[in-house]
């Protein structure tokens, strides 16, 4: 006899009883049906597991909970693997974990799976779910498992077995499919009420490009069909907003195999948007007391050794030789800024010094992780290094956070803040860490900022603040980071002469606001679904004529708009008006100005927005006012004094 606590109830357990039997006594019928696994003293177990003798407490895991969904999704991966093996017996199974919002399974198969294959696989999965087959766990020795998987020729499982440390392993079987797995799983396949296979991608075994290329099938599963439907709608919306589609469609940027992966090419529209962003940022930095600097792309390897980048980051850097000297292409902008600081003797009165650079860096990202503009090998950071006296740190951090706030307001982004503290392995004295971490806390507190603390998640060289923005689809994106650094001032022996006439070590902060400009543009494109706000739109207005008879007036209007600093185009093609308007809408041009007989006669334009809304006729000067007010609006909203004039 054993006494187990389950949701506050004491339940008597006899030997051999399962967790499921305990739950059936503690839960109502409905709740019992929704439980798919349990926690025994905090350890996840199958419902069919026998209550462990040392177990004092059992908690149900409901299918709607985070853990429940993970079990559901992982179990769905088993069901998918079973279906694939049924349809394509030569496919070999590898691994199939649950991931955020879904699951995948990697197969070694001679060709890519097609959308038609996915349909077939879904069909077979549905049959398996319909049959409500139980998942059965079996424990066996590693040797027995090896014999089993070698008999069915699942060589990847053998490799996984070789890496395991335990002598005892578990396998799970449903129907005729058996997988090496730790579990837990759903009691039976019938619990998978809503699933969908979403895509196929190539993936290297173990993420290693020297290993075989596998076929990864992604899917998703939810506790009920309604949740699945909402998620699929969300996916569809994300697909429509995907910057990799919209970028080329709006002629903003492209990638080319000829150029190389991860190297974005900005077309006129994209380069213009980028320049507007960069100009805005440059002006804002100058207004806040930053100085513009610019370092070289290539710096000698010795310098990268001195900074520590060579030892810690060298594997992600590109090197080249000039006159028998090895040079490294910069992966970060810090080093040149240190050299500038050291170029003269600094007094306490000179501090803080804030160096700002739109610094282009190169990093060797693995080809598998490259993703449109979001993950590239060459990018430009809005990077700054602040060198200050220790007692100035808090005020500097406050200034940076206010800066972030102002910029996020302009784009109407909400954001979340995280503070990461000292990790186990770190350099710098206790005093350094305490002072810097306190400064970060106090800066955030003084601004009444809500923030999460990631204990022990700071860089080894100092504590940091990360800012994550939330886009229109509620996705979060890392943008600003603020990092204190105790190593670089030491490695470069930075100093200033204090009021006491002695040499002191300054504090150094690395910070970005937008992060990488490329990445931020990718996020903006998805956030606005390509319809950039008027101040950022590469073309702000297009004049569309009904017939040739209106061309002269259109040219005259174009000139006036152009003189007012508005980026304007004309569409004088001999096409139907509806066609021309639709094209302008697809190009996401904010103002579509239609000119026909009446407009020429009354010397006005007929204004439409890209979303189809019709404003009606306005004179050119009223149109200019409207567009300029629209451009100014984001800055007024943020309470910024920034004036958007060209
Ligand atoms: Zn499993
Ligand atoms: Zn830096």
């Amino acid at each position: 006899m054993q006494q187990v606590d389950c949701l506050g109830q004491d339940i008597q357990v006899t030997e051999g009883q399962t967790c499921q039997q305990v739950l059936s006594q503690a839960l109502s019928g409905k709740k019992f049906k929704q439980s798919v696994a349990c926690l025994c003293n905090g350890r996840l177990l199958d419902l069919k597991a026998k209550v462990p003798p040392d177990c004092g407490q059992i908690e149900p895991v409901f299918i709607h909970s985070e853990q429940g969904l993970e079990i559901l999704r992982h179990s769905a991966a088993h069901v998918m693997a079973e279906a694939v093996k049924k349809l394509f017996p030569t496919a070999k199974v590898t691994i199939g974990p649950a991931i955020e919002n879904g699951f995948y399974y990697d197969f070694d198969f001679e060709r890519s799976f097609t959308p038609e294959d996915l349909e077939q696989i879904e069909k077979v999965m549905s049959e398996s779910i319909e049959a409500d087959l139980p998942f059965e766990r079996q424990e066996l020795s590693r040797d027995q498992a090896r014999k089993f998987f070698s008999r069915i020729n699942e060589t990847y499982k053998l490799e996984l077995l070789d890496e395991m440390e335990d002598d005892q392993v578990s396998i799970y079987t449903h129907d005729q499919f058996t997988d090496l797995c730790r579990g837990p799983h759903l009691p039976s396949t019938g619990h998978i009420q809503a699933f969908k296979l979403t895509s196929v991608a190539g993936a290297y075994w173990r993420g290693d490009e020297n290993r075989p290329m596998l076929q990864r099938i992604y899917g998703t599963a939810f506790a009920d069909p309604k949740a699945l439907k909402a998620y699929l709608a969300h996916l569809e919306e994300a697909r429509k907003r995907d910057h990799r589609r919209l970028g080329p469609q709006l002629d903003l940027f492209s990638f080319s195999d000829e150029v190389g992966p991860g190297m974005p090419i900005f077309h006129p529209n994209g380069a213009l948007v980028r320049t507007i962003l960069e100009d805005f940022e440059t002006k804002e930095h100058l207004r806040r007391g930053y100085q513009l600097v610019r370092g070289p792309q290539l710096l000698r390897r010795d310098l990268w050794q001195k900074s520590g980048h060579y030892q810690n980051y060298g594997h992600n850097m590109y090197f080249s030789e000039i006159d028998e000297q090895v040079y490294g292409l910069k992966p970060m902008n810090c080093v040149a800024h240190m050299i500038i600081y050291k170029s003269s003797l600094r007094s306490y009165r000179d501090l803080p010094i804030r160096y700002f650079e739109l610094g282009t860096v190169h990093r060797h990202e693995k080809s598998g992780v490259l993703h449109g503009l979001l993950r590239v090998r060459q990018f430009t950071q809005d990077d700054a290094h602040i060198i200050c006296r220790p007692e100035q740190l808090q005020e500097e951090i406050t200034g940076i956070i206010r800066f972030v706030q102002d910029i996020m307001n302009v784009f109407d982004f909400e954001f979340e803040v995280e503070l990461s503290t000292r990790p186990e392995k770190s350099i710098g004295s206790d005093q350094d860490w305490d002072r810097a971490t306190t400064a970060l806390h106090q800066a955030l507190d003084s601004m009444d900022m809500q923030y999460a603390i990631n204990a022990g998640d700071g860089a080894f060289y100092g504590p940091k603040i990360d800012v994550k923005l939330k886009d229109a689809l509620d996705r979060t994106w890392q943008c600003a980071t603020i990092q204190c650094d105790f190593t670089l001032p030491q490695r470069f022996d930075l100093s200033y002469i204090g009021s006491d006439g002695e040499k002191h070590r300054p504090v150094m902060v690395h910070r970005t606001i937008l992060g990488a400009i490329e990445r931020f543009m990718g996020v903006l494109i998805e956030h606005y679904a390509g319809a950039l706000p008027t101040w950022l739109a590469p073309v702000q207005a297009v004049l569309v004529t009904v017939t040739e008879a209106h061309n002269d007036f259109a040219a005259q209007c174009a000139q006036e708009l152009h003189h007012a600093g508005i980026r304007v185009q004309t569409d004088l093609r001999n096409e139907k008006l509806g066609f021309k308007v639709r094209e302008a809408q697809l190009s996401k041009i904010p103002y579509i100005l239609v000119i026909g007989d009446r407009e020429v006669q009354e010397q006005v334009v007929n204004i439409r927005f890209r979303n189809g809304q019709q404003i009606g006729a306005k004179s050119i000067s009223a149109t200019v006012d409207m567009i300029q007010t629209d451009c100014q609006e984001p800055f007024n909203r943020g309470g910024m004094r920034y004036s958007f004039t060209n």
Side-chain angles (χ1 to χ4, degrees), residues 309 332-335 381 383-385 485 488 508-511:
H309 286 92
M332 292 164 202
N333 305 299
C334 333
V335 170
Q381 295 176 302
D383 203 1
H385 294 92
D485 189 339
L488 282 187
M508 211 270 270
V509 179
H510 313 253
R511 51 107 285 196

Side-chain angles (χ1 to χ4, degrees), residues 74 78 181 185:
H74 171 66
H78 276 247
C181 196
H185 298 88

Side-chain angles (χ1 to χ4, degrees), residues 326-450:
V326 181
Y327 285 73
L329 202 47
K330 66 171 172 175
M332 292 164 202
N333 305 299
C334 333
V335 170
H337 298 194
M338 301 297 99
I339 304 284
I340 300 168
Y341 181 85
K342 274 189 79 82
S343 64
S344 97
L345 193 65
R346 308 289 177 181
S347 128
Y348 68 96
R349 285 188 221 94
D350 301 329
L351 303 183
I353 284 177
R354 309 183 186 105
Y355 293 136
F356 172 64
E357 177 174 5
L358 283 162
T360 300
V361 297
H362 289 80
R363 295 182 186 173
H364 184 209
E365 299 282 0
K366 285 213 171 97
S367 60
V369 301
L370 297 175
H371 183 96
L373 290 181
L374 301 180
R375 200 78 181 259
V376 286
R377 285 181 173 160
Q378 177 193 299
F379 55 94
T380 301
Q381 295 176 302
D382 59 341
D383 203 1
H385 294 92
I386 295 176
I387 302 157
C388 64
R389 304 199 302 269
E391 64 271 22
Q392 293 174 319
L393 186 59
Q394 188 189 326
E395 202 182 324
E396 287 307 303
I397 303 291
T398 311
I400 300 168
I401 295 166
R402 197 161 293 138
F403 199 170
V404 172
Q405 240 171 3
D406 286 352
I407 300 281
M408 291 301 115
N409 263 337
V410 166
F411 297 100
D412 215 3
F413 279 131
E414 282 179 34
F415 62 93
E416 291 165 357
V417 179
E418 290 170 8
L419 192 161
S420 300
T421 59
R422 187 175 193 170
E424 249 170 57
K425 271 194 189 159
S426 60
I427 68 123
S429 66
D430 288 353
Q431 196 200 356
D432 283 344
W433 276 92
D434 281 350
R435 199 163 45 195
T437 312
T438 308
L440 297 187
H441 274 292
Q442 285 179 345
L444 291 168
D445 291 340
S446 72
M447 301 181 72
D448 273 334
M449 212 58 137
Q450 298 279 329

Side-chain angles (χ1 to χ4, degrees), residues 206 374 610 645:
R206 311 249 112 152
L374 301 180
R610 53 194 159 185
T645 45

Side-chain angles (χ1 to χ4, degrees), residues 95-160:
I95 53 162
I99 51 172
E100 198 186 351
N101 292 320
F103 60 88
Y104 69 77
Y105 210 113
D106 284 348
F107 301 94
D108 187 350
F109 191 49
E110 67 254 26
R111 63 168 175 82
S112 299
F113 291 108
T114 63
E116 291 73 37
D117 292 336
L118 293 197
E119 274 175 36
Q120 285 294 314
I121 297 166
E122 280 182 345
K123 223 176 110 205
V124 176
M125 285 175 75
S126 296
E127 286 163 12
S128 173
I129 291 165
E130 186 71 23
D132 195 17
L133 306 156
F135 284 96
E136 302 286 0
R137 179 188 172 96
Q138 201 186 333
E139 290 193 9
L140 61 182
S141 72
R142 204 145 60 122
D143 233 28
Q144 287 172 309
R146 200 177 281 124
K147 278 188 194 130
F148 172 77
F149 286 106
S150 106
R151 200 177 68 235
I152 59 173
N153 201 27
E154 293 292 6
T155 47
Y156 291 91
K157 295 290 172 190
L158 294 175
E159 192 179 326
L160 293 171

